[in-house]
Amino acid sequence: MNADQKMRQSASASAYGARAGAGTGVGAGDGDPPGRVRRFWSERRVPAGIVALVVAAVSGLLLYDVAAVRSGRRAMRWRDWLADELAARPLDSAWMVAGAALLAALGVWMVVMAMAPGLRGLLPMRAPERESGSGSGSGAEAAAAVRAGIDRTSAGLVLRDRAMEVPGVRSARVDVGRRRIRARALAHFRDLDEVRADLDAALHEGIRQLGLARPPALSVHVRRSAKSKG
């Protein structure tokens, strides 16, 4: 029974990122230009606009209340209540500590979001090679200005189609992450080790042809389908 279970399930984790410089590694021998390709940065127009509107609304309301008090009118109830609470509660109060921690966490989160590139669903691709020669100055500048990327969902669909071309694969699912690609397949004939080896090679070739700047590691899992077990 144990031997049968071993034959019915096979898993392989092939992290080829460390072999990228080898002759058979992904991205090797393709004439890839050296240099680091940075991720795409999100413009964040909608979140920035929402934050700006909220800050403007709160600031305008506070400014109106201050101007009203200066002109002899009574302050709004919420500002009287807030002033009384801040004056009555000690600094070591649980509400004061919780409020300060919440504001600090919100500030750190906003700083991290401002410094993070965003666009996590977009994988950068390798930059095109620059032409060599005396009259290739403008061509080199144009090549340097070109940046390409591929959506992770689209990359997963391409790799899934590659996996379905492997003999013995009944169905496949490929999840593309920023650092790892996980492929799961159901086999309905052939030996599982043979299917896994062919699937591993086909996905490596598919990832190489995607032309990613930083190819993620590949993890392949193959198991026997329920219909084939019966």
Side-chain angles (χ1 to χ4, degrees):
M1 185 63 180
N2 293 333
D4 183 57
Q5 291 179 351
K6 291 180 180 179
M7 289 296 295
R8 289 188 175 184
Q9 290 193 355
S10 175
S12 116
S14 305
Y16 58 90
R19 308 198 308 265
T24 59
V26 175
D30 298 334
D32 300 338
R36 181 180 179 183
V37 179
R38 294 188 298 177
R39 288 178 54 189
F40 291 89
W41 281 76
S42 174
E43 296 182 357
R44 296 184 176 89
R45 294 180 180 178
V46 175
I50 293 176
V51 172
L53 289 176
V54 172
V55 171
V58 173
S59 301
L61 182 63
L62 183 60
L63 182 61
Y64 169 80
D65 192 53
V66 171
V69 172
R70 292 293 183 180
S71 63
R73 302 178 63 180
R74 183 177 177 82
M76 294 183 179
R77 294 182 179 180
W78 66 268
R79 201 158 72 91
D80 286 340
W81 174 82
L82 181 62
D84 294 340
E85 289 294 328
L86 292 177
R89 293 181 179 274
L91 294 179
D92 57 351
S93 173
W95 287 102
M96 297 291 290
V97 174
L102 179 61
L103 291 177
L106 181 61
V108 172
W109 177 77
M110 294 183 66
V111 171
V112 171
M113 290 295 101
M115 297 179 62
L119 296 179
R120 297 176 61 87
L122 193 61
L123 298 176
M125 302 173 68
R126 292 191 298 267
E129 294 189 29
R130 299 182 181 181
E131 298 179 0
S132 59
S134 56
S136 60
S138 59
E141 294 178 358
V146 173
R147 296 190 62 195
I150 184 172
D151 185 73
R152 291 193 303 181
T153 303
S154 301
L157 293 176
V158 172
L159 296 177
R160 188 196 65 181
D161 293 341
R162 279 291 190 129
M164 293 300 298
E165 295 176 357
V166 176
V169 174
R170 181 184 183 90
S171 63
R173 176 181 176 181
V174 180
D175 298 323
V176 178
R178 291 179 51 234
R179 295 182 176 86
R180 181 172 293 276
I181 298 176
R182 294 178 172 86
R184 299 174 179 85
L186 294 179
H188 59 108
F189 69 91
R190 298 182 66 197
D191 183 74
L192 288 182
D193 292 333
E194 296 179 359
V195 175
R196 175 191 53 79
D198 292 346
L199 181 60
D200 192 82
L203 291 180
H204 272 94
E205 178 64 17
I207 295 171
R208 185 191 67 81
Q209 293 182 356
L210 287 177
L212 300 178
R214 290 183 292 270
L218 176 63
S219 176
V220 178
H221 300 271
V222 181
R223 63 185 179 89
R224 189 72 68 190
S225 63
K227 294 182 179 180
S228 299
K229 291 180 182 179

